[in-house]
Amino acid sequence: MKISKDIAEAAQLLKEGQVIAIPTETVYGLAANALDPTAVLEIYKVKERPATNPLIVHIHAIEQLTPLVSEMGANAQRLAEHFWPGPLTLLLKKTDRISDQITAGSPLVAIRMPKHPMTLELLKSVAFPLVAPSANRYTTVSPTSAEHVAKNLGERIPLILDGGPCEKGLESTVVGFDANDRPLIYRLGAVTLEAIQAIVPEAGVYESALSEPAHSPGMAKKHYAPKTALRVVDDLRVFLENYSGNQKLGVLSFGHQGLAPSPHTLVELSQNRDLEEGSQRLYQSLYALDEANVDLIVAEWFEDKGLGQTLNDKLKRASY
Ligand code: TXA
Ligand code: MG
């Protein structure tokens, strides 16, 4: 495996039907030619992902949708215009060009236009769309740097295209539409419910998206989990003051001044309690605490709105 910034080499490998890792603004993806069934199958193998979990198709231009999607409602168009390129994935009616293997048998295909200059250039130079799940093994933490990909599944792929640390650090928000064209969030992500409602006010969260592992496997109860056990508490300070166990703790702080965690290990998500910074750093902090050999990671729930809602969702699944 090689970590490289060579877009031409990455394009060549993809054209040969190989699976490589690519940077996006959300998390690193494990990419392959969406129109090559053997390459798509290889993704499921490398990721150890059950075939029942569908993949997101990545494009660089709206015109690429025409052969892939049979219809696009008014609200989908509005959201695409506003958020693409960016961390929003839309569930749209597929054409026969998209295999059942990609959608796990669903008539809907998940599509997004990522916002990373290297990957947009790569998409242009290969001329086919790319399927790309997050570049981690099934249920583990999504990688937000080339080094994390290398740790997670480096020995299984020939190349990691290095685009630096991911700007958002959380996956895209997956949005579908009900029979009345109402947008519903199936997976909370880097685009907040509030931001979507600013474009389409009636948008909501799919009712079981917050509980059952049903329609979108990104909603599986256990997901995004570090190797180390994770516990989420209401008040980190109170928890630490009363802690009398002898486990080595990894403390995930969000601007908690003077927590004095010694002899434990403290990782700061954002000194200024900035949710964008906290989001950007969540997964890399979980990787760091896994490496620090602590016995238990402790985090505190966020205020449940905006990116705090997404962060809470990820913490809930990571601690399940
Ligand atoms: O930010 C992202 O979305 C990253 C980067 C690499 O683009 N990709 C990513 O892919 O997170 P993945 O495979 O780890 O998660 C895809 C999510 C899953 O929750 C999956 O269930 C949902 O999208 N999804 C994909 N296709 C779907 C479909 N046809 N119907 C419903 N949900 C779908
Ligand atoms: Mg994933």
Side-chain angles (χ1 to χ4, degrees):
M1 182 274 307
K2 175 163 145 192
I3 297 182
S4 146
K5 293 185 193 300
D6 188 344
I7 296 171
E9 187 182 5
Q12 184 54 38
L13 290 167
L14 289 169
K15 285 177 190 164
E16 288 165 10
Q18 303 226 44
V19 171
I20 63 165
I22 58 165
T24 83
E25 80 282 27
T26 59
V27 299
Y28 274 71
L30 197 58
N33 179 355
L35 307 178
D36 176 346
T38 317
V40 176
L41 188 66
E42 188 61 22
I43 285 200
Y44 283 96
K45 279 196 210 146
V46 171
K47 206 176 146 71
E48 294 171 30
R49 182 182 191 132
T52 48
N53 279 23
L55 304 174
I56 297 176
V57 173
H58 295 65
I59 58 170
H60 67 82
I62 286 277
E63 298 74 61
Q64 279 183 292
L65 282 178
T66 313
L68 308 178
V69 160
S70 64
E71 65 180 73
M72 192 166 174
N75 284 335
Q77 268 174 39
R78 238 169 251 147
L79 293 175
E81 261 164 45
H82 191 269
F83 290 104
W84 284 358
L88 179 76
T89 293
L90 297 175
L91 299 177
L92 302 170
K93 288 219 173 74
K94 78 174 192 76
T95 64
D96 290 344
R97 291 280 281 165
I98 298 285
S99 66
D100 284 338
Q101 186 192 19
I102 290 177
T103 69
S106 167
L108 302 178
V109 59
I111 302 204
R112 87 176 190 101
M113 192 188 294
K115 189 179 181 178
H116 191 292
M118 285 170 80
T119 288
L120 287 169
E121 197 183 323
L122 178 68
L123 281 162
K124 276 179 208 153
S125 68
V126 293
F128 44 73
L130 294 173
V131 276
S134 50
N136 54 289
R137 291 179 205 201
Y138 187 57
T139 78
T140 66
V141 180
S142 300
T144 56
S145 70
E147 292 70 30
H148 296 168
V149 180
K151 273 183 200 130
N152 211 300
L153 35 76
E155 76 282 9
R156 300 183 180 191
I157 49 176
L159 184 104
I160 301 170
L161 187 62
D162 186 0
C166 298
E167 181 200 334
K168 298 290 179 189
L170 294 173
E171 294 84 351
S172 64
T173 302
V174 178
V175 171
F177 301 87
D178 74 5
N180 301 315
D181 201 31
R182 179 181 181 218
L184 291 173
I185 294 179
Y186 282 78
R187 177 180 71 175
L188 294 162
V191 174
T192 63
L193 171 63
E194 292 85 343
I196 292 169
Q197 285 173 333
I199 309 302
V200 185
E202 69 265 30
V205 178
Y206 182 71
E207 52 182 49
S208 66
L210 298 169
S211 52
E212 291 163 37
H215 290 243
S216 198
M219 289 309 201
K221 281 184 178 162
K222 179 184 162 91
H223 210 128
Y224 318 110
K227 294 189 201 103
T228 315
L230 168 69
R231 178 157 166 200
V232 193
V233 300
D234 291 325
D235 191 318
L236 207 44
R237 190 176 304 278
V238 169
F239 175 85
L240 288 172
E241 277 167 11
N242 294 311
Y243 184 73
S244 57
N246 51 13
Q247 284 183 304
K248 253 174 69 191
L249 303 180
V251 179
L252 212 50
S253 164
F254 185 60
H256 293 81
Q257 304 304 324
L259 262 192
S262 176
H264 308 303
T265 303
L266 185 135
V267 170
E268 183 57 66
L269 288 174
S270 170
Q271 204 79 57
N272 307 321
R273 300 179 72 85
D274 176 321
L275 284 168
E276 299 214 350
E277 186 183 27
S279 300
Q280 204 257 336
R281 293 176 49 82
L282 176 68
Y283 293 159
Q284 73 177 60
S285 303
L286 293 176
Y287 272 93
L289 287 173
D290 262 344
E291 299 241 302
N293 286 317
V294 297
D295 303 313
L296 176 70
I297 301 172
V298 192
E300 184 178 284
W301 296 114
F302 291 84
E303 193 185 344
D304 205 32
K305 61 178 191 193
L307 280 173
Q309 191 182 22
T310 302
L311 288 163
N312 283 343
D313 183 71
K314 305 299 174 192
L315 286 178
K316 188 168 81 189
R317 291 168 209 283
S319 61
Y320 185 76

